[in-house]
Amino acid sequence: MKIWLDGALRDSETARVSVFDHGLTVGDGIFETVKAVDGRPFALTRHLDRLTRSARGLGLPDPDLDEVRRACAAVLEANPVPLGRLRLTYTGGHGPLGSDRGDQGPTLVVALGGTARRPDTTAVVTVPWTRNERGALTGLKTTSYAENVVALARAHEHGATEALFANTVGQLCEGTGSNVFVVLDGEIHTPPLASGCLAGITRALVAEWTGAKETDLPLDVLREADEIFLTSTLRDVQAVHRVDDRELSATPGPVTAKAMRIFDERSAADIDP
Ligand code: PLP
């Protein structure tokens, strides 16, 4: 596969990043996952805005968005697939061990993966660990994903594909790599950004297109919600058929099925290619 690394397309087998890259040594990095259909990136400007916000939050230099756009186009052209997800990784770059920052400029990698279409439904578990709604990294899409890896392993132990977190005050927050929506009395609700969740691009579009409300929700809402669904670049809109030991009947339920349809139809139109 051809990837983009520091200014040029390279072969993924031979492309190399320094072993002293701060993305590796201290997790000083950010990323984006961007859906691409027939070689066209979806909602790229929204992703690049979030990449810049994440960079500023971490104190990294602003990414050169012209280069990022060129890199995305080059990787898609070199690896033609009907459906894929671009993975943009941007780190503090090479620097001596123990230094605060890389000293030779940031590292940019753009690769392509994620060619599978999501299953329509999935099982999820809740985990006992909390998301910090007031942390230094809250709302930033950083490569420091170890907490999510641990939670996801818990999900896999229980035959689920996603783990849902509450925040430190017991409110429903988000999944390891997805946002969460619940249906109560026919209305769609999703936790507000103040819950500590990531400002998901899919979340924003689904909320806009379905009129979902931002609502503080206790974690326990998952026991009584009529329907539950997840959103993310990898999952699009995905119905939840089991949460912990609770089976939800007839998934996707009618409201979720409608949200899936609306998302599929509206996202098929070019959103800022
Ligand atoms: N929440 C977290 C923690 C994520 O990592 C992601 C995506 O990777 C999302 C939510 C969903 O965001 P998006 O819809 O932009 O993919």
Side-chain angles (χ1 to χ4, degrees):
M1 177 198 287
K2 294 284 183 201
I3 64 150
W4 184 275
L5 172 63
D6 290 339
L9 271 184
R10 300 172 201 273
D11 196 307
S12 61
E13 297 293 311
T14 49
R16 292 288 174 263
V17 172
S18 163
V19 292
F20 295 123
D21 192 287
H22 275 216
L24 177 67
T25 55
V26 294
D28 187 21
I30 57 175
F31 76 104
E32 285 294 322
T33 305
V34 183
K35 185 171 163 184
V37 180
D38 295 331
R40 291 195 330 261
F42 174 69
L44 185 57
T45 296
R46 287 177 189 246
H47 283 283
L48 297 186
D49 286 350
R50 189 171 63 185
L51 188 75
T52 302
R53 283 202 308 278
S54 297
R56 290 180 182 169
L58 230 63
L60 295 173
D62 280 6
D64 174 348
L65 298 186
D66 287 339
E67 183 193 350
V68 180
R69 282 182 185 276
R70 265 187 291 118
C72 292
V75 169
L76 285 170
E77 196 183 338
N79 306 282
V81 282
L83 172 65
R85 274 84 175 186
L86 290 161
R87 160 79 190 217
L88 286 50
T89 310
Y90 183 73
T91 79
H94 172 104
L97 286 175
S99 61
D100 288 350
R101 289 284 163 188
D103 56 7
Q104 291 173 34
T107 302
L108 171 69
V109 182
V110 178
L112 187 71
T115 52
R117 216 186 124 75
R118 55 137 212 262
D120 277 351
T121 73
T122 192
V124 304
V125 296
T126 55
V127 286
W129 310 297
T130 53
R131 275 278 199 262
N132 181 356
E133 67 280 12
R134 289 182 296 135
L137 302 182
T138 303
L140 308 180
K141 199 161 164 61
T142 73
T143 52
S144 306
Y145 245 51
E147 183 176 72
N148 293 318
V149 172
V150 172
L152 207 49
R154 174 69 65 92
H156 292 155
E157 280 165 24
H158 292 84
T161 70
E162 183 56 304
L164 296 180
F165 290 92
N167 62 15
T168 65
V169 290
Q171 292 164 335
L172 180 63
C173 183
E174 66 176 343
T176 66
S178 63
N179 292 105
V180 58
F181 289 70
V182 299
V183 178
L184 300 167
D185 296 327
E187 285 198 326
I188 310 178
H189 301 265
T190 193
L193 298 183
S195 71
C197 68
L198 185 78
I201 309 291
T202 324
R203 170 189 179 278
L205 293 172
V206 168
E208 191 182 315
W209 292 340
T210 65
K213 297 194 168 101
E214 292 195 346
T215 312
D216 288 330
L217 301 158
L219 185 66
D220 276 358
V221 76
L222 298 174
R223 292 191 212 202
E224 70 211 35
D226 303 318
E227 301 174 34
I228 303 168
F229 63 85
L230 307 176
T231 63
S232 79
T233 296
L234 287 172
R235 296 171 192 268
D236 294 329
V237 178
Q238 187 180 46
V240 170
H241 66 77
R242 171 163 57 87
V243 50
D244 295 328
D245 294 333
R246 178 185 175 212
E247 292 285 347
L248 285 95
S249 53
T251 43
V255 178
T256 306
K258 190 169 168 196
M260 290 166 113
R261 214 166 41 244
I262 290 173
F263 184 79
D264 285 349
E265 282 169 15
R266 298 213 42 181
S267 64
D270 277 348
I271 302 281
D272 168 43

